[in-house]
Amino acid sequence: RTESHNRLFCCALRTVMSKSSGLLKSQNDNKQSQFQEKWPNMRPVVLKLLRQQHVSRDEWQDLFWDVHLVTSWDDKGPVKIQKALEIEFDTFISGVKDEVLSHEDDSVLLKAYIKEWTKYFEQCSYLPLPFQAMETAMAGSKPTKKPSDGNRVNTLMLSMWNSSIFTSIKDRLQTAAIKLLHSERLGDAFDSQLVVGVRESFVNLSTDTVNKLRIYQENFEQVYISSAVDFYTAQASAYLNENGIQNYMKYADEKLQEEETRAMRYLETRKGCTSVPNLMKACVETLVKGYTSLIVAEAPNLIQNNEVPKLRLMFRLLNRLGQEGLGPLLQHLESFIKQSGLDDMKACVEIIVTDSEKYIEELLKLFTQYSKLVEEAFDNDSRFLTSRDKAFREIVNETSIFKLELSSSLGKGGPSRINPESKCPELLANYCDLLLRKTPMSRRLTSEEVEKKLKDVLLVLKYVQNKDVFMRYHKTHLTRRLILETSADSEMEENMVEWLREVGMPADYVNKLSRMFQDMKVSEDLNSTFKESRRINKDTTNSDLVSIKVLNAGAWSRSSERVPVTLPRELEDFIPDVEQFYRDRHQGRKLHWHHILSNGVVAFQNQIGKFDLEVTTFQMAVLFAWNQRPLERISFEDLRLVQMHVWKG
């Protein structure tokens, strides 16, 4: 029984193995038959796509499904599909090639090629879509595939078109395209797609995966640029000889704009491509660089005659060459502004040297005139603004017209030296004084008008070389205004100090000006406290008639040398009380009376009438000498005893 049972088991095992073998054989046969079964259905759809014929939705979807089945069940399915596509592409392209090459004339051949290329290139985007499954399957067997390798079907279509058609006729296509461009430059019109198609072929049919544009750059771009240079080399000189340099500038500008517009149409403009800049550089060298000396030679007359449109044209042309082209034009502008400005100043030197208002008005007129020229003719280009500033700075600091002689020491204990300086800083300071002091000018102007004129002063002051001179005179005027209380607007005075700080005037001077205002406010409080103490002590003699100003020596920086003078008794008796009051409140500080800074108002009466006179302390001392002897003569020597001051009558 055991033996018979074993025989039955072996027999059953052989039967099962036989059935299993039959099943595997059937599955392998099915895999092999997938491509043969599906390709006859796929091929007509592929041909319709190549010929741009109608493809139904079902056919389109079935193509996706058939590709998926073949690549999924047939290990060699992707390779078989690719080989089959190669055969169909080759057959189709061969037919197109015969049609295109049947034309002997290059222009006709170009049109035929572009017609077929446009259709074919469009299908290069659609036909590969159903074969993504094949792409995925083949990529899976090559995991090192780079993204730059692209879609296999798309690459196959383009490479076969390149090797079969484009390589053999690209020179003829390029020549025909360049002829069309030549005709367009002469004014003829044509279908721009003919040239665009040639450029697209060079770019998209490149087999260089590292630099896709290399073939295009070495062929189409290079020939395109050479043709433009040859065309304008011949045309430019002829136009110049017939029409002159000024008309030539207009011609060159128009042609450069035309070429830039044309290049944006026909050359590659993708990111990283330099075709357009390369073309424009070559055209600028041909149309402008070779004629720079002739163009620049026109600049002096154009600037002198203020021919803004032509100067704008010249600027556009030379600006394309950068500093190399603009350098001579900048020099002409700077020389003209300087010479013209100095000539204008010399013409009215006798007036402006004594009238600070006229001087400032003349400077501002010149500055406005040249600024307008730079704005309208040169678009406020920073380089031209710099030239304007350099020329205007020389005008402002010129010493040949009018100068101010300032002495400076050569060293400690050494002899002094006379340094000629422009009178501009002094005149600017005088003009500010007219605006800030109670004068007929400040009275007839509104606050806004005064502010504007002060800002004009700051504008000119920016170009003054020795700003210390201005600050020295300005501080002297400010001192007089503050002490004599002749400021037209105290708020404007303080604003002026801040404006001086903002325009970068020497910080040491500006800080002292600020301290001067602080001293005036402290003096006001001191006066109030002093008068209040006098009222408490029931001593109001002359207290309401006197105003005390205690000034910080470091800020006001007056000479420490005091001029001796015999004050009127009313003032002389008043001084000890002031000194005692100040010592009680400020221990360790010492007052030094500077009568040269003092002033007052005295009532003067004679047979003619009664007058209020604004006088200095020294003048007051002289006048008070007649109080006791109003009808007597007093000699000069006697007056010197009263006022120990070298007085020139």
Side-chain angles (χ1 to χ4, degrees):
R1 289 177 55 188
T2 303
E3 290 179 0
S4 63
H5 182 74
N6 288 339
R7 284 197 298 272
L8 289 173
F9 174 76
C10 290
C11 182
L13 181 60
R14 283 197 298 272
T15 301
V16 171
M17 291 179 64
S18 176
K19 290 182 178 180
S20 299
S21 176
L23 179 60
L24 292 173
K25 182 178 180 181
S26 175
Q27 289 177 342
N28 289 332
D29 291 342
N30 187 43
K31 285 184 179 181
Q32 297 297 326
S33 65
Q34 284 292 334
F35 175 76
Q36 287 80 2
E37 178 184 346
K38 298 299 181 183
W39 179 246
N41 298 329
M42 298 161 59
R43 182 173 178 272
V45 182
V46 172
L47 294 177
K48 285 184 178 182
L49 291 171
L50 285 172
R51 297 165 184 165
Q52 287 195 325
Q53 297 174 350
H54 175 69
V55 177
S56 67
R57 177 179 295 182
D58 292 340
E59 288 176 322
W60 180 251
Q61 292 178 348
D62 288 345
L63 182 58
F64 275 88
W65 178 245
D66 290 341
V67 172
H68 172 70
L69 289 177
V70 173
T71 55
S72 300
W73 290 96
D74 190 340
D75 294 337
K76 297 182 179 180
V79 177
K80 293 177 181 178
I81 293 176
Q82 181 170 325
K83 289 182 178 180
L85 289 175
E86 288 181 13
I87 295 172
E88 300 304 329
F89 293 161
D90 183 63
T91 303
F92 175 79
I93 294 173
S94 296
V96 173
K97 179 180 180 181
D98 294 339
E99 170 64 23
V100 172
L101 293 180
S102 65
H103 304 287
E104 296 183 0
D105 184 78
D106 287 349
S107 61
V108 178
L109 178 140
L110 174 60
K111 293 179 181 178
Y113 172 83
I114 295 302
K115 177 183 177 181
E116 297 298 333
W117 162 252
T118 303
K119 294 189 294 183
Y120 186 80
F121 186 64
E122 183 179 359
Q123 290 310 308
C124 288
S125 301
Y126 294 107
L127 198 151
L129 296 177
F131 296 92
Q132 288 298 319
M134 180 195 82
E135 178 75 21
T136 302
M138 298 185 76
S141 62
K142 295 181 179 181
T144 58
K145 177 179 178 292
K146 300 179 181 179
S148 59
D149 292 343
N151 182 282
R152 293 177 186 275
V153 177
N154 177 274
T155 303
L156 180 62
M157 294 178 70
L158 293 175
S159 63
M160 294 187 69
W161 180 277
N162 181 39
S163 59
S164 181
I165 298 181
F166 184 69
T167 301
S168 60
I169 62 172
K170 66 179 182 179
D171 292 337
R172 293 179 62 187
L173 294 174
Q174 187 169 266
T175 301
I178 296 303
K179 288 181 179 179
L180 292 177
L181 289 170
H182 183 84
S183 299
E184 185 179 82
R185 292 188 177 105
L186 293 175
D188 298 335
F190 67 92
D191 182 6
S192 61
Q193 188 58 36
L194 296 175
V195 178
V196 173
V198 176
R199 182 251 297 168
E200 288 179 345
S201 296
F202 272 104
V203 173
N204 294 295
L205 295 177
S206 174
T207 57
D208 191 334
T209 58
V210 177
N211 183 6
K212 190 75 173 176
L213 298 175
R214 185 175 63 83
I215 304 300
Y216 153 80
Q217 291 169 336
E218 294 177 354
N219 292 271
F220 186 79
E221 178 187 317
Q222 185 174 344
V223 174
Y224 187 107
I225 294 175
S226 298
S227 68
V229 171
D230 294 341
F231 177 84
Y232 289 115
T233 299
Q235 294 288 321
S237 58
Y239 189 93
L240 175 61
N241 294 332
E242 293 177 6
N243 301 277
I245 188 62
Q246 293 193 16
N247 289 323
Y248 174 80
M249 289 193 298
K250 185 177 181 181
Y251 167 83
D253 185 61
E254 290 176 351
K255 294 307 174 184
L256 288 172
Q257 293 182 38
E258 288 179 10
E259 280 302 320
E260 191 164 13
T261 302
R262 185 177 294 116
M264 297 300 292
R265 242 188 349 255
Y266 298 135
L267 293 178
E268 189 64 31
T269 57
R270 70 176 65 181
K271 185 177 181 181
C273 184
T274 60
S275 296
V276 176
N278 292 343
L279 170 72
M280 295 312 299
K281 180 181 178 182
C283 289
V284 167
E285 290 183 352
T286 304
L287 288 168
V288 181
K289 188 173 182 179
Y291 304 93
T292 301
S293 59
L294 295 176
I295 295 174
V296 172
E298 297 294 311
N301 289 333
L302 296 181
I303 294 174
Q304 184 174 359
N305 298 327
N306 199 36
E307 297 191 44
V308 172
K310 292 181 180 179
L311 286 172
R312 286 182 62 85
L313 180 59
M314 181 181 293
F315 170 64
R316 282 201 303 271
L317 289 175
L318 297 178
N319 193 36
R320 292 178 179 271
L321 293 172
Q323 189 61 32
E324 178 185 359
L326 290 178
L329 181 57
L330 291 168
Q331 292 176 2
H332 282 306
L333 177 67
E334 183 178 337
S335 299
F336 171 79
I337 292 177
K338 178 185 176 182
Q339 191 58 49
S340 176
L342 292 177
D343 290 343
D344 289 348
M345 300 296 282
K346 289 177 181 178
C348 50
V349 64
E350 293 182 0
I351 299 175
I352 62 179
V353 76
T354 56
D355 190 336
S356 59
E357 182 179 6
K358 294 293 183 183
Y359 175 72
I360 300 301
E361 289 177 354
E362 183 66 21
L363 282 178
L364 291 174
K365 184 189 78 171
L366 294 173
F367 185 80
T368 302
Q369 174 186 339
Y370 303 136
S371 296
K372 183 179 180 182
L373 176 63
V374 171
E375 177 184 4
E376 294 179 350
F378 308 113
D379 294 329
N380 272 339
D381 184 275
S382 60
R383 292 163 292 187
F384 286 86
L385 290 173
T386 300
S387 291
R388 177 207 65 184
D389 291 345
K390 288 172 63 178
F392 198 69
R393 185 174 291 109
E394 292 194 40
I395 295 173
V396 168
N397 296 287
E398 179 61 46
T399 59
S400 63
I401 303 175
F402 35 72
K403 62 184 178 181
L404 176 70
E405 293 187 347
L406 299 176
S407 62
S408 63
S409 176
L410 293 176
K412 187 175 181 180
S416 61
R417 179 179 60 185
I418 302 300
N419 295 327
E421 289 283 350
S422 169
K423 201 174 179 65
C424 177
E426 179 188 358
L427 295 174
L428 288 174
N430 294 344
Y431 185 60
C432 288
D433 184 53
L434 289 175
L435 293 171
L436 294 170
R437 185 163 46 89
K438 294 176 183 177
T439 61
M441 177 190 293
S442 62
R443 291 189 183 98
R444 74 171 183 263
L445 298 175
T446 64
S447 178
E448 291 75 15
E449 290 172 333
V450 171
E451 179 176 343
K452 181 182 181 304
K453 290 183 177 294
L454 288 174
K455 292 292 183 67
D456 290 339
V457 171
L458 296 174
L459 176 64
V460 177
L461 189 59
K462 181 177 70 172
Y463 299 97
V464 172
Q465 184 174 353
N466 196 341
K467 295 179 173 59
D468 288 351
V469 176
F470 168 82
M471 292 300 292
R472 194 183 309 171
Y473 281 99
H474 179 70
K475 184 179 178 184
T476 299
H477 290 312
L478 177 61
T479 299
R480 293 178 64 247
R481 292 195 301 272
L482 293 179
I483 291 176
L484 301 180
E485 299 180 356
T486 57
S487 292
D489 186 340
S490 58
E491 183 179 355
M492 192 70 70
E493 291 275 16
E494 296 190 43
N495 289 341
M496 183 63 178
V497 174
E498 293 306 314
W499 295 335
L500 290 172
R501 190 189 306 277
E502 290 173 2
V503 298
M505 299 304 289
D508 183 51
Y509 277 104
V510 177
N511 291 336
K512 288 181 179 180
L513 296 183
S514 298
R515 182 61 186 272
M516 289 167 69
F517 286 102
Q518 294 174 11
D519 286 350
M520 297 307 295
K521 293 176 181 178
V522 170
S523 293
E524 291 178 7
D525 297 337
L526 185 67
N527 269 295
S528 299
T529 306
F530 176 71
K531 292 177 181 179
E532 181 64 25
S533 68
R534 299 272 291 186
R535 279 192 289 271
I536 293 174
N537 296 329
K538 298 181 179 182
D539 184 1
T540 59
T541 305
N542 294 331
S543 60
D544 292 333
L545 301 178
V546 178
S547 176
I548 307 167
K549 293 181 175 63
V550 179
L551 312 178
N552 183 280
W556 296 75
S557 64
R558 302 300 298 182
S559 172
S560 59
E561 180 182 356
R562 289 179 293 166
V563 180
V565 62
T566 303
L567 297 175
R569 186 177 65 254
E570 292 82 355
L571 294 178
E572 196 72 49
D573 295 341
F574 193 72
I575 289 178
D577 295 340
V578 175
E579 292 180 340
Q580 185 60 46
F581 170 80
Y582 189 78
R583 282 195 297 269
D584 292 342
R585 283 158 179 76
H586 301 282
Q587 296 293 330
R589 295 186 184 180
K590 187 176 182 180
L591 290 178
H592 295 280
W593 293 94
H594 285 268
H595 300 301
I596 196 171
L597 299 178
S598 303
N599 70 298
V601 178
V602 298
F604 179 78
Q605 184 175 0
N606 59 13
Q607 296 175 350
I608 300 175
K610 186 175 182 179
F611 307 92
D612 287 339
L613 304 180
E614 291 187 8
V615 294
T616 66
T617 304
F618 299 105
Q619 292 170 334
M620 185 185 301
V622 171
L623 292 175
F624 266 78
W626 272 276
N627 263 4
Q628 304 302 324
R629 48 184 73 81
L631 300 178
E632 296 183 13
R633 286 178 174 271
I634 303 177
S635 67
F636 178 72
E637 292 300 324
D638 291 337
L639 287 175
R640 289 186 62 184
L641 295 176
V642 177
Q643 179 185 20
M644 300 300 293
H645 179 65
V646 179
W647 177 71
K648 296 181 181 180

Short mmCIF file of all heavy atoms in Angstrom, two decimals, residues 19-53:
data_model
loop_
_atom_site.label_atom_id
_atom_site.label_comp_id
_atom_site.label_asym_id
_atom_site.label_seq_id
_atom_site.Cartn_x
_atom_site.Cartn_y
_atom_site.Cartn_z
N LYS A 19 0.84 21.27 -15.38
CA LYS A 19 -0.12 22.37 -15.50
C LYS A 19 0.55 23.72 -15.22
O LYS A 19 0.29 24.72 -15.88
CB LYS A 19 -1.28 22.16 -14.54
CG LYS A 19 -2.18 20.99 -14.95
CD LYS A 19 -3.34 20.86 -13.97
CE LYS A 19 -4.28 19.70 -14.41
NZ LYS A 19 -5.42 19.55 -13.49
N SER A 20 1.43 23.76 -14.20
CA SER A 20 2.14 25.00 -13.87
C SER A 20 3.02 25.44 -15.03
O SER A 20 3.10 26.63 -15.38
CB SER A 20 3.00 24.81 -12.62
OG SER A 20 2.18 24.48 -11.53
N SER A 21 3.68 24.52 -15.63
CA SER A 21 4.54 24.84 -16.77
C SER A 21 3.72 25.41 -17.91
O SER A 21 4.11 26.37 -18.57
CB SER A 21 5.28 23.57 -17.21
OG SER A 21 6.03 23.84 -18.37
N GLY A 22 2.55 24.86 -18.12
CA GLY A 22 1.68 25.37 -19.20
C GLY A 22 1.22 26.79 -18.90
O GLY A 22 1.11 27.62 -19.79
N LEU A 23 0.92 27.08 -17.62
CA LEU A 23 0.46 28.43 -17.24
C LEU A 23 1.57 29.47 -17.46
O LEU A 23 1.33 30.54 -18.00
CB LEU A 23 0.03 28.42 -15.77
CG LEU A 23 -0.45 29.77 -15.21
CD1 LEU A 23 -1.67 30.26 -15.98
CD2 LEU A 23 -0.78 29.63 -13.73
N LEU A 24 2.82 29.19 -17.05
CA LEU A 24 3.94 30.11 -17.23
C LEU A 24 4.20 30.35 -18.70
O LEU A 24 4.48 31.47 -19.13
CB LEU A 24 5.20 29.55 -16.56
CG LEU A 24 5.15 29.49 -15.02
CD1 LEU A 24 6.38 28.75 -14.49
CD2 LEU A 24 5.09 30.90 -14.44
N LYS A 25 4.11 29.27 -19.49
CA LYS A 25 4.32 29.41 -20.93
C LYS A 25 3.28 30.31 -21.55
O LYS A 25 3.56 31.16 -22.38
CB LYS A 25 4.31 28.02 -21.57
CG LYS A 25 4.58 28.08 -23.08
CD LYS A 25 4.60 26.68 -23.65
CE LYS A 25 4.87 26.75 -25.17
NZ LYS A 25 4.87 25.39 -25.76
N SER A 26 2.04 30.19 -21.07
CA SER A 26 0.94 31.02 -21.60
C SER A 26 1.16 32.49 -21.24
O SER A 26 0.95 33.39 -22.06
CB SER A 26 -0.39 30.54 -21.04
OG SER A 26 -1.44 31.38 -21.44
N GLN A 27 1.61 32.77 -20.00
CA GLN A 27 1.86 34.16 -19.58
C GLN A 27 3.01 34.77 -20.36
O GLN A 27 2.95 35.94 -20.77
CB GLN A 27 2.16 34.20 -18.08
CG GLN A 27 0.93 33.91 -17.23
CD GLN A 27 1.26 33.88 -15.75
OE1 GLN A 27 2.42 33.75 -15.40
NE2 GLN A 27 0.24 33.97 -14.92
N ASN A 28 4.09 34.05 -20.60
CA ASN A 28 5.22 34.57 -21.37
C ASN A 28 4.81 34.88 -22.80
O ASN A 28 5.21 35.89 -23.38
CB ASN A 28 6.38 33.58 -21.36
CG ASN A 28 7.05 33.50 -19.99
OD1 ASN A 28 7.02 34.47 -19.25
ND2 ASN A 28 7.64 32.35 -19.66
N ASP A 29 4.01 34.00 -23.35
CA ASP A 29 3.53 34.26 -24.71
C ASP A 29 2.68 35.51 -24.75
O ASP A 29 2.75 36.30 -25.71
CB ASP A 29 2.70 33.06 -25.21
CG ASP A 29 3.59 31.84 -25.44
OD1 ASP A 29 4.83 32.04 -25.56
OD2 ASP A 29 3.04 30.73 -25.52
N ASN A 30 1.90 35.75 -23.67
CA ASN A 30 1.05 36.94 -23.62
C ASN A 30 1.89 38.21 -23.55
O ASN A 30 1.58 39.22 -24.17
CB ASN A 30 0.11 36.85 -22.42
CG ASN A 30 -0.91 37.99 -22.40
OD1 ASN A 30 -1.48 38.31 -23.44
ND2 ASN A 30 -1.13 38.56 -21.23
N LYS A 31 3.00 38.17 -22.78
CA LYS A 31 3.92 39.32 -22.69
C LYS A 31 4.52 39.64 -24.05
O LYS A 31 4.60 40.79 -24.45
CB LYS A 31 5.05 39.04 -21.70
CG LYS A 31 4.62 39.12 -20.25
CD LYS A 31 5.81 38.93 -19.35
CE LYS A 31 5.43 39.04 -17.87
NZ LYS A 31 6.62 38.87 -17.01
N GLN A 32 4.94 38.60 -24.75
CA GLN A 32 5.56 38.81 -26.06
C GLN A 32 4.56 39.35 -27.07
O GLN A 32 4.92 40.08 -27.98
CB GLN A 32 6.17 37.48 -26.56
CG GLN A 32 7.29 36.94 -25.69
CD GLN A 32 8.48 37.86 -25.64
OE1 GLN A 32 8.77 38.53 -26.64
NE2 GLN A 32 9.15 37.93 -24.50
N SER A 33 3.33 39.02 -26.89
CA SER A 33 2.32 39.42 -27.87
C SER A 33 1.74 40.80 -27.59
O SER A 33 0.99 41.32 -28.41
CB SER A 33 1.18 38.39 -27.90
OG SER A 33 0.48 38.38 -26.66
N GLN A 34 2.06 41.46 -26.43
CA GLN A 34 1.49 42.76 -26.09
C GLN A 34 1.84 43.81 -27.13
O GLN A 34 0.97 44.54 -27.61
CB GLN A 34 1.98 43.21 -24.71
CG GLN A 34 1.32 42.51 -23.53
CD GLN A 34 -0.15 42.88 -23.39
OE1 GLN A 34 -0.57 43.94 -23.82
NE2 GLN A 34 -0.92 41.98 -22.81
N PHE A 35 3.12 43.96 -27.50
CA PHE A 35 3.53 44.97 -28.46
C PHE A 35 2.95 44.68 -29.84
O PHE A 35 2.41 45.58 -30.49
CB PHE A 35 5.06 45.04 -28.53
CG PHE A 35 5.56 45.98 -29.60
CD1 PHE A 35 5.51 47.35 -29.40
CD2 PHE A 35 6.03 45.49 -30.82
CE1 PHE A 35 5.95 48.22 -30.39
CE2 PHE A 35 6.46 46.36 -31.80
CZ PHE A 35 6.42 47.73 -31.59
N GLN A 36 3.05 43.39 -30.29
CA GLN A 36 2.53 43.05 -31.61
C GLN A 36 1.02 43.29 -31.69
O GLN A 36 0.49 43.67 -32.74
CB GLN A 36 2.83 41.58 -31.96
CG GLN A 36 4.28 41.29 -32.31
CD GLN A 36 5.15 41.16 -31.06
OE1 GLN A 36 4.63 41.24 -29.92
NE2 GLN A 36 6.45 40.96 -31.25
N GLU A 37 0.37 43.10 -30.55
CA GLU A 37 -1.07 43.27 -30.54
C GLU A 37 -1.47 44.75 -30.49
O GLU A 37 -2.43 45.16 -31.17
CB GLU A 37 -1.66 42.55 -29.32
CG GLU A 37 -3.16 42.70 -29.17
CD GLU A 37 -3.69 42.05 -27.91
OE1 GLU A 37 -2.95 41.26 -27.30
OE2 GLU A 37 -4.84 42.34 -27.55
N LYS A 38 -0.74 45.55 -29.73
CA LYS A 38 -1.14 46.94 -29.50
C LYS A 38 -0.57 47.92 -30.52
O LYS A 38 -1.20 48.96 -30.79
CB LYS A 38 -0.71 47.39 -28.10
CG LYS A 38 -1.36 46.58 -26.97
CD LYS A 38 -2.88 46.72 -26.99
CE LYS A 38 -3.53 45.95 -25.86
NZ LYS A 38 -5.02 46.04 -25.93
N TRP A 39 0.61 47.70 -31.07
CA TRP A 39 1.22 48.66 -31.97
C TRP A 39 0.37 48.97 -33.21
O TRP A 39 0.28 50.14 -33.63
CB TRP A 39 2.62 48.21 -32.38
CG TRP A 39 3.27 49.19 -33.33
CD1 TRP A 39 3.60 48.97 -34.62
CD2 TRP A 39 3.64 50.54 -33.04
NE1 TRP A 39 4.15 50.09 -35.18
CE2 TRP A 39 4.19 51.08 -34.21
CE3 TRP A 39 3.57 51.34 -31.90
CZ2 TRP A 39 4.66 52.39 -34.30
CZ3 TRP A 39 4.03 52.63 -31.99
CH2 TRP A 39 4.55 53.16 -33.17
N PRO A 40 -0.27 47.98 -33.83
CA PRO A 40 -1.13 48.31 -34.99
C PRO A 40 -2.22 49.33 -34.63
O PRO A 40 -2.65 50.09 -35.52
CB PRO A 40 -1.72 46.96 -35.37
CG PRO A 40 -0.71 45.96 -34.93
CD PRO A 40 -0.18 46.51 -33.64
N ASN A 41 -2.66 49.33 -33.38
CA ASN A 41 -3.65 50.34 -32.97
C ASN A 41 -2.99 51.69 -32.64
O ASN A 41 -3.62 52.75 -32.81
CB ASN A 41 -4.41 49.86 -31.74
CG ASN A 41 -5.19 48.58 -32.01
OD1 ASN A 41 -5.65 48.35 -33.13
ND2 ASN A 41 -5.33 47.74 -30.98
N MET A 42 -1.74 51.65 -32.16
CA MET A 42 -1.04 52.87 -31.77
C MET A 42 -0.50 53.63 -32.99
O MET A 42 -0.53 54.87 -33.03
CB MET A 42 0.13 52.52 -30.83
CG MET A 42 -0.32 51.87 -29.51
SD MET A 42 1.02 50.99 -28.67
CE MET A 42 2.19 52.30 -28.43
N ARG A 43 -0.04 52.92 -33.99
CA ARG A 43 0.64 53.52 -35.14
C ARG A 43 -0.24 54.54 -35.88
O ARG A 43 0.24 55.65 -36.20
CB ARG A 43 1.11 52.43 -36.09
CG ARG A 43 1.87 52.95 -37.30
CD ARG A 43 2.45 51.80 -38.12
NE ARG A 43 3.12 52.30 -39.30
CZ ARG A 43 2.52 52.52 -40.48
NH1 ARG A 43 1.21 52.25 -40.61
NH2 ARG A 43 3.20 52.98 -41.52
N PRO A 44 -1.49 54.25 -36.20
CA PRO A 44 -2.30 55.24 -36.92
C PRO A 44 -2.47 56.55 -36.15
O PRO A 44 -2.50 57.63 -36.76
CB PRO A 44 -3.66 54.53 -37.09
CG PRO A 44 -3.33 53.08 -37.01
CD PRO A 44 -2.21 52.97 -36.01
N VAL A 45 -2.56 56.44 -34.84
CA VAL A 45 -2.71 57.66 -34.04
C VAL A 45 -1.42 58.48 -34.09
O VAL A 45 -1.45 59.72 -34.19
CB VAL A 45 -3.07 57.31 -32.58
CG1 VAL A 45 -3.27 58.57 -31.76
CG2 VAL A 45 -4.33 56.44 -32.54
N VAL A 46 -0.28 57.80 -34.01
CA VAL A 46 1.01 58.49 -34.10
C VAL A 46 1.13 59.21 -35.43
O VAL A 46 1.56 60.38 -35.50
CB VAL A 46 2.17 57.50 -33.91
CG1 VAL A 46 3.51 58.17 -34.20
CG2 VAL A 46 2.17 56.93 -32.50
N LEU A 47 0.74 58.56 -36.53
CA LEU A 47 0.82 59.18 -37.85
C LEU A 47 -0.12 60.38 -37.95
O LEU A 47 0.22 61.40 -38.57
CB LEU A 47 0.48 58.15 -38.93
CG LEU A 47 1.48 57.00 -39.08
CD1 LEU A 47 1.01 56.00 -40.13
CD2 LEU A 47 2.86 57.54 -39.45
N LYS A 48 -1.31 60.26 -37.35
CA LYS A 48 -2.24 61.40 -37.37
C LYS A 48 -1.64 62.59 -36.64
O LYS A 48 -1.78 63.74 -37.07
CB LYS A 48 -3.57 61.00 -36.72
CG LYS A 48 -4.46 60.13 -37.59
CD LYS A 48 -5.78 59.87 -36.88
CE LYS A 48 -6.71 59.03 -37.75
NZ LYS A 48 -8.03 58.81 -37.10
N LEU A 49 -1.00 62.33 -35.52
CA LEU A 49 -0.37 63.42 -34.77
C LEU A 49 0.75 64.07 -35.57
O LEU A 49 0.88 65.30 -35.59
CB LEU A 49 0.17 62.90 -33.43
CG LEU A 49 -0.89 62.48 -32.40
CD1 LEU A 49 -0.23 61.79 -31.21
CD2 LEU A 49 -1.66 63.70 -31.92
N LEU A 50 1.57 63.27 -36.23
CA LEU A 50 2.65 63.82 -37.04
C LEU A 50 2.12 64.68 -38.19
O LEU A 50 2.69 65.70 -38.53
CB LEU A 50 3.51 62.69 -37.60
CG LEU A 50 4.46 61.99 -36.62
CD1 LEU A 50 5.11 60.77 -37.26
CD2 LEU A 50 5.55 62.96 -36.14
N ARG A 51 1.00 64.23 -38.76
CA ARG A 51 0.43 64.96 -39.91
C ARG A 51 -0.55 66.04 -39.49
O ARG A 51 -1.16 66.68 -40.32
CB ARG A 51 -0.28 63.96 -40.81
CG ARG A 51 0.65 62.91 -41.42
CD ARG A 51 -0.11 61.75 -41.98
NE ARG A 51 0.79 60.70 -42.49
CZ ARG A 51 0.41 59.46 -42.78
NH1 ARG A 51 -0.87 59.10 -42.61
NH2 ARG A 51 1.28 58.60 -43.24
N GLN A 52 -0.70 66.20 -38.16
CA GLN A 52 -1.63 67.20 -37.61
C GLN A 52 -3.06 66.95 -38.09
O GLN A 52 -3.78 67.88 -38.44
CB GLN A 52 -1.18 68.62 -37.96
CG GLN A 52 0.03 69.10 -37.16
CD GLN A 52 0.24 70.58 -37.24
OE1 GLN A 52 -0.02 71.19 -38.27
NE2 GLN A 52 0.73 71.17 -36.16
N GLN A 53 -3.42 65.69 -38.10
CA GLN A 53 -4.79 65.31 -38.44
C GLN A 53 -5.61 65.15 -37.16
O GLN A 53 -5.06 65.04 -36.06
CB GLN A 53 -4.79 64.00 -39.24
CG GLN A 53 -4.07 64.12 -40.58
CD GLN A 53 -3.96 62.78 -41.30
OE1 GLN A 53 -4.25 61.73 -40.73
NE2 GLN A 53 -3.54 62.82 -42.56
#
